[in-house]
Amino acid sequence: MRILSPQDASLAVLIVKDIAHAAGLGGLKISALTTAVSELTTNVVKYAEHGLLTVQVLERKQLRGIEVIVEDRGPGIANIPLAMEDHVSTGGTLGLGLPGTKRMVDEFEIQSTLGSGTSVRIVKWS
Amino acid sequence: MLCALPLTALARSIRLHIDEAQGEHRVVLQKFNEVLIVPLPDPVSDGFFKDLNTRLLAFLRLDNVRGIVLDLSSVEVMDHHDFEQINRVWQTTHLMGTPLVLAGLKPGVAAAWSLLNVKDHWATGALSVESAMEILAGNQAR
């Protein structure tokens, strides 16, 4: 789904929550995952104006996981290692979104190119 | 591997969520024993917090209020941006000399805020609105 507004970000969170619940993730894992999705989609609205979210259910042996990819064509991140440190922000915020997101999920990958955009992939396993 | 989920149920819930996500933020203030109780909606929005700050300032200026309880019991997801918004509400009420208690924070939200490493958690917390009222009553007794 496209992320164009704060309402889209809220909708994305609710949809991911439903999918995670249907896939059998527990309450606290769903909370962590949906908070991570909220962080990423809020970043899209704030910094890139529009982006795309895709979600799918993964299976690995006995486990189910929820994979969420959030990508945009925004300005990109100049220094990813710096952006992954707590309290570093270019937007006047607390600067906890990306590093906090990484802590809340089991798998985290980020790619960004200045002037082209950013893509973040997260996975939360049951 | 993509796992199949019941599509009709998912489509129905998406429809419901569209209404939820696009719903108007409405600030509801309840006053009980000179304490303002403010239930936060889910999802919570920037518009809601903006209206809340405005309404609270007006109320605190005109009415006798000895405390505020933010009821978070309905909120399932709050990211660090939402935490900052609550921080601003606290700053507003603190400057007006009115204590604020966060009530009913869900375990998932508390765990997420912990992982987000939000520090300077200045506000008093309570498990329920009733407990929050007791805390404020105890503050007044001192």
Side-chain angles (χ1 to χ4, degrees), chain B residues 93-111:
Chain B
T93 59
H94 180 68
L95 287 169
M96 298 291 283
T98 307
L100 183 144
V101 180
L102 300 183
L105 196 68
K106 285 196 184 292
V109 176

Side-chain angles (χ1 to χ4, degrees), chain A residues 4-125:
Chain A
L4 298 168
S5 65
Q7 289 77 10
D8 291 338
S10 295
L11 180 58
V13 167
L14 295 171
I15 290 172
V16 169
K17 183 177 102 173
D18 270 0
I19 293 173
H21 185 260
L25 264 69
L28 285 179
K29 289 184 188 248
I30 292 177
S31 292
L33 176 64
T34 49
T35 306
V37 170
S38 181
E39 293 284 351
L40 295 178
T41 52
T42 298
N43 277 353
V44 168
V45 172
K46 184 169 182 164
Y47 296 107
E49 295 182 352
H50 61 89
L52 195 66
L53 178 144
T54 53
V55 54
Q56 68 171 343
V57 180
L58 306 177
E59 278 195 4
R60 186 169 71 187
K61 295 181 184 176
Q62 307 274 345
L63 290 178
R64 277 188 178 178
I66 306 296
E67 176 192 71
V68 177
I69 300 174
V70 178
E71 46 198 347
D72 64 68
R73 297 289 173 95
I77 301 171
N79 187 332
I80 291 178
L82 191 62
M84 295 304 297
E85 290 181 24
D86 280 354
H87 305 295
V88 173
S89 169
T90 58
T93 67
L94 291 176
L96 299 172
L98 284 178
T101 297
K102 186 177 180 183
R103 285 191 290 269
M104 286 190 284
V105 298
D106 299 311
E107 295 177 28
F108 178 95
E109 292 168 19
I110 182 169
Q111 294 175 334
S112 186
T113 306
L114 274 181
S116 294
T118 301
S119 173
V120 180
R121 173 185 175 271
I122 58 174
V123 179
K124 190 74 177 175
W125 292 99

